[in-house]
Amino acid sequence: MTLNQLLSEMDGFKTNDEVIVLAATNTPDALDKALTRPGRFDTTVAVDPPDMKGRKAILEVYLQKIKKDNTVDGDDIARSTSGFTGAELNNLINVAAIRAAVLNKKEVTADEVEYAKDRVMMGSENTSKVIPDEEKRVTAYHEGGHALIAMLLEKDGADPVHKATIVPRGSGIMGLVQQQPKDDKYSQSKRQLETRLRVCLGG
């Protein structure tokens, strides 16, 4: 709405006033089409989420603001947060710092960072849900199937398994197998796609 207001106010300027408006928005679809017509605000630059190198540089800034021990590795966090924006990385570090404070720790450790990643990616643990033992058993077999097939198919392009859990989270997540790619991926081969299907069916 702020950007729409700025563009509306530009109607009062003459063509030779040499005023240029640069703005950023997460919702370009909300801009008034009349304001973005050719000649007005028709040049857009899409900014993709940072790659691994960019995430590492962003994390270095945020990690300097907290007390941490030597188990907190910026490279490892950057590798496991593919697709995260700068704001999401900031949120992750904040959640880790708050978790450390709740546990009365003087420094953030890798455990708090792992907790923060799980919470940001999957939501909070659903500790109030009562799950029968048989359902827990079925979920464990299901997630174990995903994990086992993923481990067996690493040679065929499956990402390495980072963790498997049957802790319920968020809305309807009974468990999860988290795979951690070694590098950012921008495309996938037919072989890699077939491998992903096998891992999915492994459950």
Side-chain angles (χ1 to χ4, degrees):
M1 298 313 297
T2 303
L3 182 51
N4 277 330
Q5 183 65 29
L6 284 169
L7 293 170
S8 297
E9 294 296 335
M10 286 182 69
D11 284 334
F13 290 103
K14 298 176 182 176
T15 55
N16 60 353
D17 279 338
E18 298 178 359
V19 175
I20 298 173
V21 174
L22 297 178
T25 178
N26 291 330
T27 54
D29 53 304
L31 296 178
D32 189 329
K33 299 300 180 190
L35 297 173
T36 56
R37 67 181 183 273
R40 287 295 306 277
F41 201 76
D42 58 337
T43 301
T44 58
V45 180
V47 181
D48 293 324
D51 58 12
M52 192 178 299
K53 183 179 178 181
R55 292 194 301 276
K56 183 181 175 184
I58 292 168
L59 284 164
E60 285 176 1
V61 174
Y62 293 130
L63 287 172
Q64 286 176 1
K65 298 178 181 180
I66 62 170
K67 290 183 179 180
K68 62 187 183 304
D69 69 4
N70 57 10
T71 64
V72 178
D73 184 1
D75 286 349
D76 183 57
I77 302 172
R79 192 176 304 109
S80 62
T81 51
S82 179
F84 272 49
T85 63
E88 288 169 328
L89 292 171
N90 184 19
N91 181 42
L92 187 147
I93 300 304
N94 286 340
V95 170
I98 291 169
R99 177 66 173 175
V102 168
L103 298 175
N104 291 319
K105 290 188 175 182
K106 294 182 178 179
E107 294 179 320
V108 173
T109 70
D111 289 339
E112 285 74 59
V113 172
E114 193 64 30
Y115 169 88
K117 283 193 290 186
D118 286 348
R119 181 162 180 177
V120 171
M121 291 179 180
M122 300 179 287
S124 301
E125 291 184 18
N126 195 339
T127 54
S128 63
K129 183 179 284 187
V130 179
I131 303 173
D133 289 342
E134 180 59 23
E135 282 202 40
K136 288 181 183 177
R137 182 171 167 274
V138 171
T139 302
Y141 273 115
H142 175 83
E143 301 303 342
H146 288 312
L148 180 62
I149 299 302
M151 292 167 71
L152 290 171
L153 293 179
E154 274 193 44
K155 63 183 182 302
D156 291 323
D159 293 325
V161 174
H162 177 62
K163 71 158 58 170
T165 177
I166 60 168
V167 175
R169 289 180 175 274
S171 56
I173 297 177
M174 296 294 290
L176 182 83
V177 171
Q178 195 176 68
Q179 293 172 262
Q180 187 167 300
K182 295 175 182 176
D183 300 294
D184 288 337
K185 291 182 178 178
Y186 302 100
S187 62
Q188 295 191 65
S189 66
K190 179 183 176 183
R191 183 183 184 189
Q192 289 171 322
L193 290 170
E194 288 174 340
T195 298
R196 284 187 67 188
L197 285 171
R198 291 189 181 103
V199 172
C200 289
L201 292 171

